[in-house]
Amino acid sequence: MKTSDFYYDLPQELIAQDPLEDRSASRLMVLDKETGEIQHHVFRDIIDYLNPGDCLVINDTKVIPARLIGAKEETGAKIEVLLLKRGADDVWETLVKPGRKAKPGTRISFGDGLLVGEVVDIVDEGNRLIHFEYEGIFEEILDQLGQMPLPPYITHQLKDKDRYNTVYAEHSGSAAAPTAGLHFTPELLKEIEAKGVDIARVTLHVGLGTFRPVKVDDVENHHMHSEFYMINEEAAEKINRAKDGDGRVICVGTTSCRTIESAADENGHLRACSGWTEIFIYPGYRFKALDCLITNFHLPESTLIMLVSALAGKEHVLTAYEEAVRERYRFFSFGDAMFIK
């Protein structure tokens, strides 16, 4: 299976640069994974496709303002640091640009010394381990100095930081948003619960590895970066209840999908657990827990379009994407949504 099998042609102007004022006003394409039939709706119509007894699985991770712009202490040269993974004792794995200016021992000042980082090691793919020094609470300093780590294809400045988080974001730790969840409003979630749909909250802290391009020709040779996830007892019970009854398990986003598929047993049942996952889902994968998926439109040749192709079939997915281009859907993080049923 070749990476190029998952290519489609996307006009640049269809990449959404700004979120809609009303989160639930985005468009919704409904794709039948068995027949390939396509229907067009607005996102708030999703409630018409959810049934009593279903379980909607959401990822309640929270994106931190992980992009820091600092200056090298010795020279004043500008250095950009993106926080990826928190370790012990204020050490973070980071992505640094330009990397050549960040050798071990390099000290970087942020906010005129409010936060100072020292490069202590170079690890996989050139990422830097940086030890941070500060007074006070790190999260408060980060909120003051950091910017939201928007994907490179979004060139507009985000006016409201909260718009790159879901309305249910709770546990801080992500370097990117679980974007399928951006379409939900508190009101829509209340309507869904009132209809008799269980909402299970899981957590997967999204790393940039999910969005990194696949650089190998053979899909099976691609290696996913590990991401931390948590599933509590309540979420496991709700998912198991749907599996044991007549309900469906419907994941909001590829991150929720990867979380429950990492933790499910062969019968699709879950228990409370946490850990690291490197699961890579592509065509040929047999889903254990997930029945349906709410997702955005993904980059060509990405691991995410491979995941949705595993669920609905590559031909159905690429046909749907071609239809989305013709119908001028908005693509990627702030774009429109698809429901694969």
Side-chain angles (χ1 to χ4, degrees):
M1 195 180 308
K2 299 297 182 187
T3 301
S4 57
D5 293 341
F6 298 89
Y7 178 80
Y8 68 93
D9 191 32
L10 178 69
Q12 196 77 12
E13 67 269 17
L14 296 185
I15 300 174
Q17 293 295 321
D18 302 288
L20 296 180
E21 191 170 331
D22 177 1
R23 288 175 182 258
S24 63
S26 54
R27 295 170 76 183
L28 176 69
M29 176 184 284
V30 178
L31 173 65
D32 187 311
K33 64 178 183 280
E34 303 300 334
T35 66
E37 181 191 355
I38 294 169
Q39 297 176 343
H40 303 284
H41 297 272
V42 294
F43 188 79
R44 65 178 70 92
D45 293 340
I46 191 70
I47 193 166
D48 297 332
Y49 290 91
L50 305 178
N51 304 322
D54 286 345
C55 179
L56 192 70
V57 184
I58 60 177
N59 180 8
D60 64 5
T61 189
K62 190 172 186 178
V63 184
I64 59 174
R67 185 169 173 257
L68 291 162
I69 308 296
K72 194 171 175 180
E73 279 194 344
E74 304 87 45
T75 64
K78 178 183 170 183
I79 293 184
E80 180 178 324
V81 172
L82 187 64
L83 305 178
L84 297 179
K85 195 182 294 183
R86 189 174 205 158
D89 302 321
D90 291 312
V91 174
W92 283 76
E93 183 177 342
T94 69
L95 193 63
V96 178
K97 292 196 299 189
R100 65 182 185 279
K101 293 183 179 176
K103 295 172 183 171
T106 300
R107 290 176 62 83
I108 308 164
S109 174
F110 307 92
D112 295 324
L114 192 62
L115 181 67
V116 176
E118 180 173 336
V119 179
V120 294
D121 201 1
I122 300 175
V123 291
D124 293 347
E125 297 190 10
N127 290 354
R128 268 59 176 173
L129 294 184
I130 295 182
H131 175 258
F132 287 99
E133 304 162 16
Y134 55 92
E135 290 185 10
I137 300 170
F138 183 80
E139 286 75 14
E140 291 181 359
I141 294 169
L142 192 61
D143 202 46
Q144 184 179 337
L145 299 180
Q147 302 172 22
M148 279 302 194
L150 295 179
Y153 50 75
I154 295 177
T155 57
H156 291 191
Q157 192 72 32
L158 187 62
K159 294 172 186 171
D160 179 2
K161 280 184 182 179
D162 288 341
R163 290 311 305 272
Y164 195 54
N165 266 313
T166 62
V167 297
Y168 46 77
E170 183 177 354
H171 301 290
S172 295
S174 274
T179 55
L182 296 178
H183 303 284
F184 287 90
T185 63
E187 295 77 18
L188 181 56
L189 288 166
K190 283 178 185 171
E191 288 176 37
I192 289 168
E193 282 191 297
K195 193 174 180 179
V197 176
D198 270 336
I199 297 179
R201 300 170 72 112
V202 300
T203 306
L204 181 135
H205 292 319
V206 189
L208 291 185
T210 306
F211 303 96
R212 279 203 167 121
V214 179
K215 295 180 180 178
V216 293
D217 292 331
D218 190 337
V219 167
E220 295 177 29
N221 292 331
H222 178 70
H223 175 68
M224 296 286 284
H225 287 242
S226 63
E227 295 167 313
F228 183 74
Y229 71 89
M230 298 181 290
I231 300 171
N232 63 25
E233 194 69 50
E234 181 185 358
E237 285 177 5
K238 288 179 176 179
I239 293 166
N240 292 342
R241 186 158 60 234
K243 295 304 290 184
D244 292 336
D246 295 325
R248 299 166 298 168
V249 175
I250 302 165
C251 285
V252 177
T254 57
T255 62
S256 300
C257 164
R258 292 175 64 245
T259 301
I260 67 168
E261 288 296 314
S262 297
D265 65 21
E266 286 307 309
N267 297 314
H269 289 92
L270 287 92
R271 56 181 178 79
C273 61
S274 63
W276 295 86
T277 180
E278 297 177 353
I279 191 170
F280 179 23
I281 297 174
Y282 55 88
Y285 179 85
R286 186 179 68 82
F287 288 88
K288 296 176 288 188
L290 173 141
D291 296 301
C292 307
L293 179 67
I294 297 168
T295 187
N296 280 17
F297 291 89
H298 304 297
L299 277 78
E301 301 183 335
S302 64
T303 61
L304 305 179
I305 196 171
M306 292 172 191
L307 186 152
V308 297
S309 296
L311 179 63
K314 180 168 65 73
E315 290 75 18
H316 288 340
V317 167
L318 290 177
T319 298
Y321 272 56
E322 288 164 6
E323 171 86 353
V325 169
R326 279 195 301 273
E327 293 292 327
R328 313 293 290 175
Y329 272 67
R330 301 164 74 245
F331 279 68
F332 305 162
S333 296
F334 289 139
D336 296 316
M338 173 188 281
F339 177 46
I340 302 175
K341 68 183 182 74

